[in-house]
Amino acid sequence: MGDFLQKFSLEGKVALVTGASYGIGFAIATAYAQCGATIVFNDINQALVDKGLAAYAEKGIKAHGYVCDVTNEEDVQKFVAQVTEEVGPIDILVNNAGIIKRIPMVEMSAKDFRQVIDVDLNGPFIVTKAVLPSMMERRKGKIINICSMMSELGRETVSAYAAAKGGLKMLTKNIASEYGAYNIQCNGIGPGYIATPQTAPLREIQPDGSRHPFDQFIVAKTPAERWGNAEDLQGPAVFLASEASDFVNGLILYVDGGILAYIGKQPG
Ligand code: NAP
Ligand code: GCO
């Protein structure tokens, strides 16, 4: 078993996980560190980067944290050059940074719509474009885009987010198509409903002490009958970052407890 498990090792690899001070990105980066990778992450301000560095240190991980807004192409180009100089060329990129605005479309401003598209779709394009040349030169690289249930499904109030995550699914397939010949694999992870700050509003306990209606809805829609946690994504993320997935390209791996497979319970 020993030699085969080596295929899942990330020893000697430099992994950049965007927006990874906490939440899903933090969990993925932590797993990568435990598999031997050197961790690089960014966030949009120094306070968050410092918070992330402290959180990694608490787990015995010496991470490299940088302030960088993934929507700013000039900043990202400088950031990637600085990482390459200070840490080394990036072997694994996880485009994790993301936001959501839950507003009915008819009430949503074009500015708000654009901001979600900017972070969740333009951001992965900008960061991937900055990292690809070095991967092409070294003829090796792993790119993992954090997609969503909303890459496949819609629901009320998340039009911008669904448009962005649907676009990110197709960007993933296009990167896979365009750069597969360089031995670069680009895949996506589509988390189900995961208990992180991003979904905290959907799980708030109601004034009468009952669970949020959306919380009850999602648990009923999930065959596993629970919310996911960020740690549920670690194994799939390690697989897609390791040589164990060298012939997997353009896949969106849904880690959703079965939501996408399930028509739902009969009412009553
Ligand atoms: P989260 O808790 O809100 O964390 C998102 C991270 O991205 C935060 O650290 C955030 O920093 C950072 N970020 C936001 N805008 C940024 C920018 N312009 N540049 C750099 N960093 C930025 O979200 P999460 O639940 O961990 O989700 C992480 C990813 O998984 C997102 O792409 C999300 O869409 C996706 N996802 C989440 C779920 C879920 O159920 N939680 C399910 C499917 C997919 P700030 O704190 O400063 O905003
Ligand atoms: C929402 C949630 C979802 C999750 C996730 C599901 O409001 O519906 O935030 O969008 O974040 O993307 O996969």
Side-chain angles (χ1 to χ4, degrees), residues 29-61:
T30 301
Y32 286 1
Q34 286 162 7
C35 292
T38 297
I39 299 305
V40 179
F41 73 101
N42 68 300
D43 226 310
I44 50 179
N45 62 53
Q46 193 58 50
L48 270 172
V49 169
D50 293 344
K51 174 183 166 193
L53 287 169
Y56 286 111
E58 253 179 58
K59 289 189 172 282
I61 299 166

Side-chain angles (χ1 to χ4, degrees), residues 9-214:
S9 167
L10 303 180
E11 282 298 336
K13 303 291 185 190
V14 174
L16 165 59
V17 185
T18 65
S21 294
Y22 56 88
I24 287 172
F26 179 80
I28 289 175
T30 301
Y32 286 1
Q34 286 162 7
C35 292
T38 297
I39 299 305
V40 179
F41 73 101
N42 68 300
D43 226 310
I44 50 179
N45 62 53
Q46 193 58 50
L48 270 172
V49 169
D50 293 344
K51 174 183 166 193
L53 287 169
Y56 286 111
E58 253 179 58
K59 289 189 172 282
I61 299 166
K62 189 192 172 315
H64 302 262
Y66 297 82
V67 176
C68 181
D69 176 346
V70 296
T71 66
N72 184 318
E73 184 160 29
E74 198 182 329
D75 277 1
V76 168
Q77 292 281 344
K78 284 183 193 150
F79 162 52
V80 169
Q82 189 180 359
V83 169
T84 305
E85 174 74 25
E86 294 175 358
V87 185
I90 293 162
D91 303 294
I92 301 160
L93 167 63
V94 180
N95 285 307
N96 166 76
I99 62 171
I100 191 167
K101 288 179 185 284
R102 299 184 183 94
I103 306 167
M105 186 170 155
V106 290
E107 297 165 27
M108 188 175 216
S109 68
K111 181 171 177 284
D112 276 340
F113 187 91
R114 281 195 201 97
Q115 191 188 356
V116 175
I117 299 289
D118 211 12
V119 178
D120 295 6
L121 183 56
N122 293 343
F125 164 77
I126 288 168
V127 180
T128 303
K129 183 184 159 194
V131 170
L132 267 176
S134 167
M135 289 182 171
M136 291 163 73
E137 212 173 285
R138 290 175 292 131
R139 301 193 73 79
K140 196 164 182 50
K142 295 284 187 179
I143 300 163
I144 297 148
N145 293 324
I146 306 298
C147 298
S148 160
M149 292 287 92
M150 279 50 226
S151 297
E152 301 295 341
L153 303 170
R155 86 173 183 86
E156 298 77 8
T157 76
V158 294
S159 59
Y161 184 81
K165 293 297 188 180
L168 185 56
K169 172 177 78 171
M170 287 317 299
L171 179 63
T172 301
K173 291 173 185 279
N174 213 76
I175 295 165
S177 307
E178 195 168 347
Y179 296 99
Y182 290 90
N183 188 30
I184 295 167
Q185 292 82 49
C186 181
N187 295 288
I189 288 177
Y193 280 83
I194 312 294
T196 69
Q198 193 241 47
T199 54
L202 306 175
R203 289 177 283 106
E204 266 166 16
I205 296 298
Q206 302 301 285
D208 65 3
S210 63
R211 284 166 50 204
H212 192 295
F214 194 88

